[in-house]
Amino acid sequence: MDRKSPAGMASIHLVEGVAFLDQESSVFEAMIEGWCAQQLGGRRLQKITVENRVHVVRQFRTHSGVGPWEWTAAGFDEWMMDLVSIRQMMPSTVRNYQIVIRQFCDFISSSHYGWAKQCEERFGTHPIQVCHDWNTRPHIQEDEANPRRRPLTRGELQQLFDRADDEVQTRLAAGRKGAAAAYRDATLLKVVYAWGLRANEAMMLDVTDLYRNPKIPSFGDFGFLRVRYGKASRGSPPKARTVATVMPWAVNALKDYMDNVLPMMRYGTSNALWFSERSRRLGVRSLSDRFALYRDELGLDSALSPHCLRHSYATHLIEDGHDPLFVQRQLGHAYQSTTGIYTHVSEDFANRILREALAKIPPLAGLT
C-alpha cells in the first residue's frame, strides 16, 4: 500500500475485483469505515463526533432504501420533508443533518478516494453530491432557538432559588432523607446562574477548579472558576476558560455547601464538586429534572430549561453595567454576536438607557 495514500481510500477498505454476496451492504459499510478513518485519522476529529455523523448517514440510507451511489437530490428532499413535517425537527438540527450528508457525499464522490470508480465498476453508476444551495437551509440568522426559551426575570430567579431553599428546610423539618441532596441542588442552581455555566460545564467541576483572584482578595479561594469542559467546536476537544467571580452572595452559598454538605456526600479521593446519593459524579439529567420540578411548581413556562440560567446571567450582567466584551469572555463566546443571542434586557433597563440618551441631546433652538 502506498504510504502517501490518504486515510479513507477505497483501495484500503474494499478489496478490488472481489464480488460480495451482499454487494450493496458490503460497499456501503466499507464507505462508512473509510469515512471514519478519514475523519479520525486525517482530520483528528473526536470519536463521538464521527459516530454521530455516521448515525445521520445511516438514517438517510434507511430512508432512501438505496445505496449512496443511487442517492438523488429528489430523494434527499423527501427526507428533509419527513424531518421537518413529520418528525418536526428544529431548524438547527435539520441544517446539521444537511451538513453531514453534504460532507459524506463530498467524500465518496471525490476522485482522491476512489469510491466513485469502485461504484462504477460494481453498480454501473457513481455517487454524486445531493446537497446544494438550492435544497439546503441557509444560516440566515444567528438565533434559531425556541423563542420561549428566554432568560428568567430577577423576580422569577428569586422565586426559583427560594423554592430550592424551601425544599431543604421542608426536608429537615420533616426529618426526611435527602436534605443534603436538596441543599446540593439549591447550590448547584445558584452556581449555574452566578458563573453563567452550561449544564455539563457545571457538572464536571472539581473543587480544584476554584482559586484566588489577587485583585479581589475578599472572595478568598473563590475569585476565579476554571471551566475545563466548555463547549467544543465541531470535533474538537472541550474549550477551557476562566470565569471571574462577580456575585459575592454566590461565593457565600458555594463556600457553605463545600464546608458543610460536600464532605457528607464525597466519595473516596474524588475532587468532584457534585455527588449523587450513590456517591457518583452527578449527571446533567439530575439538574434538568430538579429545575423542571421547581419550574412547574412555580407555574413558569414549560419551555424554560437550566440553560435559561446562563441567558439570565448574561442579561443581568449587561443590565448591571458590565462591559459587553467582559460578558463575552465570561461566557466563552468567540464572537459578540453570539453573546447578543443570550442578552434580552428588561423594559426598565431599555427605558433607562433611552432616557439617558435623550438627556444628552441638546434642545433644538427656534422650535416653539
Side-chain angles (χ1 to χ4, degrees):
M1 181 183 70
D2 185 357
R3 291 184 179 180
K4 296 183 180 180
S5 297
M9 282 282 291
S11 58
I12 299 175
H13 301 277
L14 191 65
V15 181
E16 296 188 48
V18 175
F20 300 95
L21 293 177
D22 188 348
Q23 188 105 290
E24 293 190 359
S25 295
S26 298
V27 173
F28 175 67
E29 292 302 327
M31 283 179 168
I32 293 294
E33 182 180 326
W35 193 43
C36 290
Q38 184 256 356
Q39 294 178 94
L40 294 170
R43 299 177 61 189
R44 304 292 183 183
L45 299 184
Q46 287 190 317
K47 185 178 180 180
I48 184 63
T49 300
V50 177
E51 290 175 347
N52 289 337
R53 291 178 176 181
V54 168
H55 180 65
V56 173
V57 172
R58 291 191 185 280
Q59 285 189 60
F60 183 36
R61 166 71 174 83
T62 300
H63 185 274
S64 66
V66 296
W69 48 91
E70 295 184 77
W71 285 354
T72 64
F76 177 76
D77 292 346
E78 291 178 3
W79 187 47
M80 289 294 103
M81 183 66 70
D82 178 71
L83 296 182
V84 174
S85 301
I86 306 302
R87 300 177 60 182
Q88 298 184 341
M89 286 189 172
M90 294 291 292
S92 57
T93 304
V94 171
R95 182 183 300 104
N96 287 336
Y97 277 37
Q98 293 170 348
I99 292 173
V100 169
I101 299 302
R102 185 195 291 269
Q103 291 174 337
F104 181 70
C105 288
D106 281 343
F107 168 73
I108 59 177
S109 59
S110 170
S111 59
H112 296 293
Y113 297 100
W115 293 103
K117 177 183 176 182
Q118 283 286 338
C119 292
E120 282 281 7
E121 293 176 354
R122 295 173 183 274
F123 308 113
T125 185
H126 59 82
I128 61 173
Q129 179 57 262
V130 300
C131 299
H132 306 278
D133 291 341
W134 44 265
N135 70 343
T136 55
R137 184 180 181 89
H139 196 166
I140 59 176
Q141 63 186 50
E142 288 291 339
D143 188 8
E144 294 180 325
N146 186 336
R148 294 167 61 196
R149 291 188 177 179
R150 55 170 178 78
L152 299 174
T153 66
R154 294 178 191 263
E156 291 172 335
L157 193 66
Q158 190 62 57
Q159 283 184 300
L160 178 67
F161 292 160
D162 288 345
R163 175 63 189 87
D165 290 339
D166 288 344
E167 182 68 17
V168 180
Q169 297 304 320
T170 299
R171 296 195 179 203
L172 286 173
R176 293 166 51 194
K177 293 182 179 180
Y183 196 105
R184 173 205 62 204
D185 294 339
T187 307
L188 175 57
L189 290 170
K190 295 169 186 175
V191 167
V192 170
Y193 165 73
W195 279 273
L197 304 178
R198 299 179 180 91
N200 189 61
E201 293 174 349
M203 309 319 295
M204 297 305 295
L205 288 175
D206 284 355
V207 295
T208 51
D209 292 326
L210 291 151
Y211 54 98
R212 301 178 66 86
N213 180 350
K215 301 297 183 181
I216 310 180
S218 60
F219 285 162
D221 294 330
F222 299 82
F224 285 117
L225 186 149
R226 182 64 174 170
V227 175
R228 292 175 293 111
Y229 287 85
K231 185 178 181 180
S233 300
R234 292 186 182 277
S236 301
K239 291 182 179 178
R241 73 177 187 280
T242 299
V243 184
T245 301
V246 296
M247 300 182 184
W249 62 265
V251 171
N252 296 332
L254 183 54
K255 184 177 186 304
D256 187 62
Y257 163 78
M258 292 176 62
D259 288 345
N260 300 305
V261 177
L262 180 58
M264 295 188 295
M265 307 190 76
R266 175 178 287 153
Y267 178 75
T269 59
S270 173
N271 283 321
L273 189 56
W274 317 107
F275 285 93
S276 70
E277 291 85 337
R278 296 183 178 180
S279 300
R280 298 174 182 173
R281 185 185 290 271
L282 201 65
V284 172
R285 179 65 180 273
S286 179
L287 171 63
S288 298
D289 289 346
R290 181 60 60 178
F291 179 91
L293 174 64
Y294 295 156
R295 175 202 65 202
D296 294 344
E297 289 183 355
L298 294 170
L300 300 177
D301 195 320
S302 61
L304 296 175
S305 70
H307 199 68
C308 295
L309 297 172
R310 180 170 159 87
H311 284 252
S312 305
Y313 171 82
T315 296
H316 296 164
L317 286 191
I318 293 296
E319 289 185 345
D320 291 341
H322 289 276
D323 187 281
L325 182 58
F326 171 75
V327 178
Q328 176 189 341
R329 292 188 60 184
Q330 291 281 93
L331 295 173
H333 290 156
Y335 305 101
Q336 285 196 20
S337 59
T338 308
T339 305
I341 298 172
Y342 282 71
T343 309
H344 307 263
V345 297
S346 66
E347 287 188 10
D348 290 341
F349 175 79
N351 288 332
R352 176 168 63 81
I353 296 299
L354 177 60
R355 285 194 298 269
E356 292 175 357
L358 292 175
K360 296 177 183 178
I361 301 176
L364 296 178
L367 293 182
T368 58

